[in-house]
Amino acid sequence: MTELITKYFPQLSEEQKKQFEALDGLYRDWNAKINVISRKDIDNLYEHHILHSLAIAMAIRFKPGTEILDFGTGGGFPGIPLAIMFPEVKFKLIDGTGKKIRVATEVANAIGLKNVNAVHLRGEEEKGKYDFVVSRAVMPLGDLMKIIKKNFKKDSKNALPNGLICLKGGNLIEELKDYSKVAEITPLETFFEEDWFKEDKKLIYVPV
């Protein structure tokens, strides 16, 4: 099951492999009670959700001590896969739906993630300062940037300056027109060879 992850991240420790492996049973179990992943998509958990989240880890290796806000995490994506990948980085996962945050919390606890804090909170209410904000297709880019511009630290310590890293699909021309000069757009097929990633899936980085 985790072959798909180790194919792209061969350096994983045994502990990380076990954590990734445990996600299948945990998400199936929780998804039966609280629908966080489309029922027909749960069989594609590793490709469509876990590896998709890890596209961010292909774009940047976060330094230890980096603080990241996962905005609109749902059941824990991209935050939980990234927290497994970067155990020395701190992640705060927020979502406006309490049931989804419960799933993210229970999954993180079950696999022993010490670097995750999942909180039932709307983005407008989040007051903290972070190096990066990450998200998967929660809202149009302009709306998201308006909400999170208050949440960035001034000083950068990673290879990329502080900013938003989000995963989106579809035609983004209209959405990105105000950011065309600053946004860096990477098609996910640059990172992954599976066909699903060729369907107009992109990573967008907007420095602040």
Side-chain angles (χ1 to χ4, degrees), residues 6-208:
T6 51
K7 170 180 171 182
Y8 294 103
F9 299 95
Q11 77 289 9
L12 293 178
S13 68
E14 287 309 309
E15 170 76 357
Q16 287 170 311
K17 286 179 195 165
K18 278 188 197 139
Q19 288 173 322
F20 278 121
E21 212 155 273
L23 294 181
D24 183 64
L26 287 165
Y27 275 111
R28 282 179 190 277
D29 188 37
W30 276 105
N31 215 49
K33 303 174 210 167
I34 296 169
N35 196 14
V36 288
I37 292 165
S38 139
R39 295 273 195 267
K40 59 182 184 296
D41 208 28
I42 193 76
D43 289 337
N44 300 312
L45 176 73
Y46 281 87
E47 185 175 312
H48 295 185
H49 300 278
I50 299 171
L51 192 60
H52 186 226
S53 297
L54 293 174
I56 293 170
M58 298 292 271
I60 179 171
R61 304 289 302 167
F62 296 116
K63 289 189 174 167
T66 298
E67 294 186 72
I68 295 175
L69 177 68
D70 178 0
F71 184 104
T73 188
F77 300 101
I80 285 177
L82 290 172
I84 297 173
M85 190 62 68
F86 299 107
E88 294 175 345
V89 170
K90 289 182 188 162
F91 290 85
K92 182 170 181 181
L93 281 50
I94 64 169
D95 200 279
T97 306
K99 287 191 297 191
K100 291 180 177 178
I101 282 296
R102 185 178 170 212
V103 174
T105 301
E106 296 285 351
V107 169
N109 289 344
I111 60 174
L113 283 180
K114 304 278 190 284
N115 58 336
V116 166
N117 177 25
V119 182
H120 178 206
L121 195 66
R122 291 176 67 243
E124 291 85 348
E125 301 162 324
E126 173 58 55
K127 303 285 192 285
K129 303 278 185 193
Y130 301 88
D131 299 289
F132 292 93
V133 174
V134 297
S135 85
R136 282 206 322 163
V138 280
M139 62 176 66
L141 192 66
D143 298 342
L144 180 56
M145 289 301 288
K146 278 190 197 107
I147 296 170
I148 62 173
K149 63 175 191 266
K150 66 187 184 321
N151 296 119
F152 291 101
K153 293 182 184 178
K154 285 197 169 48
D155 298 329
S156 299
K157 60 180 170 198
N158 284 272
L160 290 176
N162 295 354
L164 168 71
I165 306 174
C166 64
L167 297 161
K168 282 184 167 283
N171 187 332
L172 301 170
I173 293 167
E174 187 59 31
E175 195 174 327
L176 288 172
K177 72 173 192 300
D178 292 343
Y179 296 91
S180 57
K181 291 191 172 62
V182 290
E184 289 178 26
I185 301 152
T186 310
L188 295 196
E189 60 187 319
T190 312
F191 305 137
F192 306 130
E193 62 185 18
E194 285 69 26
D195 287 342
W196 187 75
F197 294 103
K198 295 175 182 147
E199 296 167 18
D200 228 6
K201 304 271 186 296
K202 298 182 179 75
L203 180 141
I204 297 157
Y205 162 61
V206 184
V208 292

